[in-house]
Amino acid sequence: MTERSEPFTLHPPDARLLEGRHAIVTGGDSGIGRGTCFELAAHGAAVAVDHQGDDAEARRMVEAIEAAGGRAIAVQMDVTAEDDVTRAFAQVRQELGGLDLLVNNAGIEKPFALTEMPLAEWQRVIDVNLTGTFLCSREAARIMRRDGARGTIVMISSVHEQIPWVTFSHYCASKGGVKLFAQSIARELAPHGIRVLSIAPGAIATPINADILADPERKAKIQEEIPLGRWGEVEDVSRAVAWAASDQASYIVGATIFVDGGMTLYPRFI
Ligand code: BGC
């Protein structure tokens, strides 16, 4: 796994796409979220690294970003708890001095056949992946509208907003939900200068896939589903997020950008 981490350096000033922006990344202390925090900071954004529970990694990340001359804070939040989300977003706005970029990254998955799926597991995945995305987007939009900020909301969706996945029906339902939620609020918020869009990763080498990556056979089997012939790296995704959040993408509204090595091209169908 390669990730933008140590030694961490900011891009040269003329290559920074997000100078002056204020961002929060949910689930920012691991996997795609972690890489995205570093990438946004490298582009000059002040970044709130959201985490749940243990803050050790978030604090380490803040130190690394600050040591390189960037700005970052750690913030704790349960994305499924309304009051917690309100509190954390207010804290971020105050400590960063604004909020104009939300990356809805927090997400979970655990396989269950439909006939074995406990209601609690269904609920847990929908709560984090879909309801959490709603709560954070609503809070961010409220702040951006109140402040008159031209903001951006980026969903970290999945190829599974489009591709059905056996034993992951709850996950697919949550990501399919995120897709139309994103498109609906993109229409609502665009007249206010707030862009909403989705980045949809395919199979990326992150801790969420640690079991598969440790098993050469399962790893190779998934690789066969990727026309490009390799698993994605965190930076493949985080670079797309930084670009999509920047003015370079200022006319992209409500779209899903797949970052999947071609997985959504149905490689097995000949
Ligand atoms: C999941 C990964 C999976 C990938 C492709 C992602 O949304 O989080 O676990 O490898 O989709 O199936």
Side-chain angles (χ1 to χ4, degrees):
M1 269 180 236
T2 61
E3 286 181 37
R4 181 184 299 288
S5 53
E6 282 107 331
F8 176 72
T9 52
L10 268 59
H11 295 320
D14 60 355
R16 292 181 200 159
L17 295 175
L18 300 169
E19 204 74 73
R21 300 284 298 271
H22 310 89
I24 177 169
V25 180
T26 64
D29 63 343
S30 98
I32 289 171
R34 180 177 180 279
T36 298
C37 286
F38 280 123
E39 189 65 31
L40 301 183
H43 277 290
V47 178
V49 182
D50 163 62
H51 62 90
Q52 209 195 352
D54 182 23
D55 66 350
E57 181 56 23
R59 288 164 69 101
R60 238 177 48 79
M61 291 170 63
V62 169
E63 276 169 29
I65 290 167
E66 285 177 344
R71 276 187 69 206
I73 59 169
V75 63
Q76 196 279 332
M77 161 173 62
D78 173 356
V79 295
T80 70
E82 189 171 25
D83 291 349
D84 215 27
V85 170
T86 309
R87 179 216 27 95
F89 273 71
Q91 180 193 337
V92 168
R93 179 182 172 277
Q94 201 196 346
E95 288 183 25
L96 293 185
L99 178 69
D100 49 54
L101 172 54
L102 161 65
V103 181
N104 276 307
N105 168 75
I108 54 171
E109 64 188 52
K110 188 175 173 191
F112 285 98
L114 173 63
T115 50
E116 309 307 320
M117 175 101 63
L119 173 60
E121 287 295 333
W122 169 274
Q123 202 72 61
R124 208 168 65 87
V125 167
I126 298 293
D127 276 356
V128 175
N129 298 7
L130 184 55
T131 308
T133 295
F134 153 66
L135 286 173
C136 293
S137 301
R138 187 183 66 176
E139 209 50 39
R142 283 175 173 165
I143 290 173
M144 289 172 192
R145 294 238 14 222
R146 211 182 299 140
D147 292 349
R150 280 175 57 246
T152 318
I153 298 176
V154 180
M155 314 297 182
I156 303 299
S157 172
S158 165
V159 290
H160 298 297
E161 70 165 48
Q162 178 176 313
I163 305 178
W165 196 10
V166 171
T167 71
F168 286 88
S169 57
H170 48 353
Y171 185 76
C172 291
S174 74
K175 295 297 183 178
V178 165
K179 174 192 156 120
L180 273 167
F181 172 66
Q183 292 178 336
S184 301
I185 66 167
R187 285 194 56 184
E188 269 183 58
L189 297 175
H192 302 286
I194 301 169
R195 289 189 305 119
V196 180
L197 60 104
S198 297
I199 297 291
I204 311 297
T206 67
I208 220 172
N209 288 311
D211 288 356
I212 298 173
L213 291 164
D215 178 341
E217 229 171 83
R218 288 173 74 198
K219 186 180 172 194
K221 195 157 173 277
I222 288 177
Q223 207 151 304
E224 285 170 22
E225 307 283 356
I226 309 168
L228 208 54
R230 68 166 175 89
W231 277 66
E233 300 292 343
V234 165
E235 281 188 26
D236 290 318
V237 180
S238 61
R239 281 195 293 247
V241 176
W243 177 81
S246 79
D247 283 346
Q248 305 240 325
S250 58
Y251 209 54
I252 297 182
V253 173
T256 294
I257 301 173
F258 289 99
V259 182
D260 67 352
M263 200 180 226
T264 36
L265 302 177
Y266 298 94
R268 294 266 177 121
F269 187 83
I270 44 172

